[in-house]
Amino acid sequence: EEARGLPCDGLELSIYPSWVEEAERIAADLADLALPFETAHAEKAVGARLSEGDESAVERLEGSALIASRVGARLLVLHLWELPLGDRYLERNLELLPSCADVAERHGLTLGIETIPCSVGSPLANVAKAVEREPRCVAVLDTEFLALHGELRNAKSLVQHAGGKPHFHEHPRQQDPVGIGHDAAEGD
């Protein structure tokens, strides 16, 4: 009940790995709550599986997409890479990105690629490559991780490059030093 009264446009649902195994049941249970989920965050291990060359990663994304669509989300957020391998195999992951976008599209969702910590590249550059390679995708800017990489001030360039308004993932402890209407970690 409290979630329905929050002063926000919508909620983001984090999808856990165990939920994917029971996607139909979990989706039905969550849909019964009738919460305003605008965004769903896919199981975070998908990116790690993509980096490892595990072809089942796209299949696992299917479970996240099913849950997301059934609860009414419009955006499915994906970690295209994940530590510890991080973005070392970004090209491999980018090759599988169209298949991931196909999964989202089949469920009536837009696939968002989130700026997350990198091991060799930069979050903004990696997400820009992804959005350029697969135009059905949008950028999801995580202000905490952009600040961690010293890239928060450059976020506007990705927004302009992507030609649209990205989804922002903010963290409550942050301030707004870049004037984009969203908070950022102190010191960036």
Side-chain angles (χ1 to χ4, degrees), residues 16-32:
Y16 295 95
S18 62
W19 291 6
V20 173
E21 305 299 328
E22 299 182 73
E24 291 281 349
R25 184 186 66 76
I26 296 292
D29 289 349
L30 289 169
D32 286 346

Side-chain angles (χ1 to χ4, degrees), residues 95-106:
E95 288 173 16
L96 293 169
L97 187 55
S99 296
C100 294
D102 289 344
V103 168
E105 190 172 72
R106 273 196 304 277

Side-chain angles (χ1 to χ4, degrees), residues 71-83:
V71 300
R74 295 180 293 171
L75 179 69
L76 180 63
V77 177
L78 173 66
H79 286 186
L80 186 57
W81 62 91
E82 190 69 47
L83 297 175

